[in-house]
Amino acid sequence: MKKKKWLVVLLATIMFLLTACGSKEKEIASIGYQNSIPGRDIRYIFYYEKGTDKIVKQESITTFSYQAFGVASKEEAKELLDPLSKDYENLKGVTETVEYEKDYFREKITVDYLKINLKQLKDDERFEIEEENADYFSLAKSTKGFRNENSGFVEVRDGHFKDFQP
């Protein structure tokens, strides 16, 4: 009988330790910034580990009417943007898509900071990386420019962005 009690206590202890020490999924929060005027809408969304300064993913969504972009048609926009889109194909952890609609286009760039090659991004002029030895991207540093009242960007919480106005 004593063996059974010890076995039950031992199993209960093991279960407790496994539960307590098990991998806990980190909670991800987001914050967005938007700069929108008729014909142009720019959104940046930063996903970060809640309670930390560490960004895990960033999205940039830019929408332009063809007129505001300075072209007359979808075809002219494609001529300009398609070659630039090809440049993103070789960047690990970076995806870029462009959707062409009748009167506007929308470009979405996603950077997965858990998959990127940091050295490759440091060598790419499209990405501004300040700290040479950083091992993560700082939310505070990355959003500093957006928080400046003269930036034209407004903070957006819970995904409540204004709709695009062509």
Side-chain angles (χ1 to χ4, degrees):
M1 189 69 159
K2 279 188 173 185
K3 276 188 174 185
K4 277 188 177 182
K5 280 185 180 180
W6 279 107
L7 186 58
V8 169
V9 170
L10 180 63
L11 286 174
T13 304
I14 291 172
M15 291 301 291
F16 173 77
L17 289 174
L18 287 175
T19 303
C21 299
S23 67
K24 293 182 180 174
E25 186 132 343
K26 295 178 179 155
E27 190 176 347
I28 304 299
S30 68
I31 186 169
Y33 294 89
Q34 182 176 29
N35 183 321
S36 185
I37 60 173
R40 186 200 76 213
D41 182 59
I42 302 170
R43 303 172 185 195
Y44 288 93
I45 307 159
F46 297 89
Y47 299 88
Y48 60 97
E49 292 177 4
K50 194 168 186 174
T52 75
D53 188 46
K54 184 178 182 178
I55 298 173
V56 294
K57 184 171 87 170
Q58 177 183 337
E59 293 177 339
S60 160
I61 304 167
T62 305
T63 307
F64 269 98
S65 69
Y66 297 123
Q67 181 181 4
F69 193 63
V71 297
S73 67
K74 175 182 2 183
E75 291 71 31
E76 282 185 41
K78 283 181 73 109
E79 250 181 72
L80 292 171
L81 295 173
D82 284 354
L84 299 174
S85 292
K86 292 199 182 305
D87 290 342
Y88 287 100
E89 291 175 0
N90 297 321
L91 292 174
K92 181 181 178 189
V94 179
T95 57
E96 187 261 2
T97 59
V98 181
E99 298 170 357
Y100 297 95
E101 303 297 336
K102 181 182 176 202
D103 298 318
Y104 67 91
F105 71 87
R106 178 172 289 124
E107 177 189 48
K108 181 177 180 181
I109 300 170
T110 303
V111 180
D112 184 336
Y113 289 106
L114 301 176
K115 295 180 182 176
I116 61 166
N117 177 331
L118 190 55
K119 181 181 178 347
Q120 187 181 28
L121 289 189
K122 285 179 183 177
D123 295 339
D124 192 307
E125 62 199 34
R126 292 170 291 186
F127 298 90
E128 294 179 26
I129 300 173
E130 291 180 15
E131 292 187 37
E132 194 65 30
N133 297 319
D135 61 346
Y136 74 93
F137 285 84
S138 162
L139 179 66
K141 289 180 181 178
S142 296
T143 60
K144 184 178 179 181
F146 298 108
R147 290 181 274 125
N148 179 329
E149 64 184 46
N150 298 321
S151 72
F153 283 88
V154 294
E155 185 176 307
V156 176
R157 294 269 179 186
D158 300 322
H160 293 106
F161 290 94
K162 290 182 187 174
D163 290 335
F164 172 64
Q165 300 297 315

